[in-house]
Amino acid sequence: MTKFVAVVSGKGGAGKTTATLNIGQALLGLGRHVIVVDANLVTPNIAIHLGFMNPKATLNQFLRQEKSLKEITYLHESGLSIIPASPSYAEFQKTNVQNISEIFEHLDDTVDFVLVDAPSGVGYDVSQVLKNSDEAIIVVNPTLSSMIEALKTIELAKANQNTIAGVILNMTTWGRNELRPEEVEKYLEQPLSATVRLDRKIRKAAYQQMPLNYIYPRCRSARQFRKVAEQLCMQP
């Protein structure tokens, strides 16, 4: 049975796409079959992160029944399979987010995990993703505003019957001018699954259009993403 895991954050720029790709790559390393879906139809980034600058077949076209599942699935050289959304504003305007459930139905029972890079915020488009997901991973930064938005996201996920599979504290510097991990756990009433620092290797991997967990699998941040993947594998 396929497990659908939405990677969500209350605010844009929290590092959701980076987390999605690297958890997916870590799951591959654990021998699981994975597909990453970019369900952020407004500002998609999955394809761009991996060097697919203008994919010819996208989730948008699938949702309009113009392309097949096979046509919109791309295999990256890292071994990770992705389904991108179109970066075109015109394509976004022609796509009905209410049809997003179609991709979930077609992917069911095809792989072990489908990781869904969800839109930011707590709007209708996020609800549609969570309505079709089994679990949610929350990505949060060590700031009070990020905490507040993450709390809303957790409530939205639970309202859509999602299990909170983990919380990733991302872009931390371990400095004095940010919330500490224990403060984040107390505020969100959730244990942290991983703490990922601001890491130059994450930037290097992004510049090379590769997942961190593919080219630097032994670095500290990659080990944190692997820890999240291992937790997903342990959950029933």
Side-chain angles (χ1 to χ4, degrees):
M1 180 181 294
T2 297
K3 183 182 290 186
F4 292 91
V5 183
V7 183
V8 292
S9 63
K11 293 176 69 68
K16 182 167 46 61
T17 299
T18 297
T20 305
L21 289 172
N22 286 299
I23 295 168
Q25 192 69 45
L27 285 168
L28 274 183
L30 294 170
R32 301 306 196 272
H33 294 98
V34 185
I35 290 181
V36 171
V37 175
D38 197 338
N40 188 349
L41 300 177
V42 181
T43 53
N45 281 302
I46 287 291
I48 294 171
H49 273 238
L50 296 181
F52 300 103
M53 301 307 294
N54 190 25
K56 293 182 179 179
T58 64
L59 175 60
N60 306 64
Q61 292 162 306
F62 174 84
L63 296 179
R64 297 197 302 270
Q65 300 182 346
E66 296 172 3
K67 297 289 183 180
S68 68
L69 182 62
K70 182 178 180 180
E71 288 176 298
I72 67 168
T73 304
Y74 296 78
L75 181 63
H76 188 254
E77 63 181 276
S78 63
L80 194 61
S81 293
I82 69 165
I83 294 177
S86 173
S88 163
Y89 181 66
E91 281 289 300
F92 163 68
Q93 287 184 305
K94 293 189 291 184
T95 306
N96 188 347
V97 71
Q98 288 183 326
N99 296 331
I100 198 74
S101 60
E102 292 290 325
I103 192 65
F104 289 84
E105 293 173 9
H106 280 74
L107 288 174
D108 199 15
D109 291 329
T110 61
V111 291
D112 300 314
F113 290 93
V114 173
L115 293 183
V116 185
D117 189 11
S120 301
V122 290
Y124 178 78
D125 50 352
V126 186
S127 294
Q128 290 301 301
V129 170
L130 290 169
K131 188 168 70 173
N132 290 281
S133 302
D134 304 307
E135 301 180 359
I137 292 174
I138 315 298
V139 180
V140 64
N141 300 143
T143 64
L144 186 57
S145 61
S146 186
M147 291 302 98
I148 292 170
E149 299 306 320
L151 194 57
K152 293 179 189 175
T153 305
I154 290 171
E155 292 174 357
L156 180 63
K158 290 180 176 179
N160 283 281
Q161 288 76 54
N162 277 238
T163 300
I164 305 301
V167 177
I168 299 173
L169 179 59
N170 197 32
M171 301 183 185
T172 178
T173 63
W174 295 93
R176 290 183 296 176
N177 300 313
E178 64 179 41
L179 295 174
R180 298 188 301 274
E182 57 270 24
E183 292 177 307
V184 175
E185 290 183 321
K186 181 179 178 181
Y187 190 86
L188 297 182
E189 298 182 342
Q190 296 285 337
L192 290 178
S193 303
T195 302
V196 180
R197 298 185 68 170
L198 272 176
D199 189 337
R200 64 182 180 86
K201 287 187 176 178
I202 292 179
R203 290 195 175 189
K204 287 177 70 175
Y207 180 76
Q208 296 177 57
Q209 299 174 325
M210 292 284 182
L212 175 78
N213 282 61
Y214 179 66
I215 56 174
Y216 301 117
R218 297 180 182 176
C219 76
R220 186 189 184 281
S221 295
R223 294 199 305 271
Q224 289 294 300
F225 289 125
R226 182 182 174 91
K227 188 166 75 167
V228 177
E230 289 171 345
Q231 292 175 1
L232 286 175
C233 292
M234 289 188 295
Q235 293 167 358

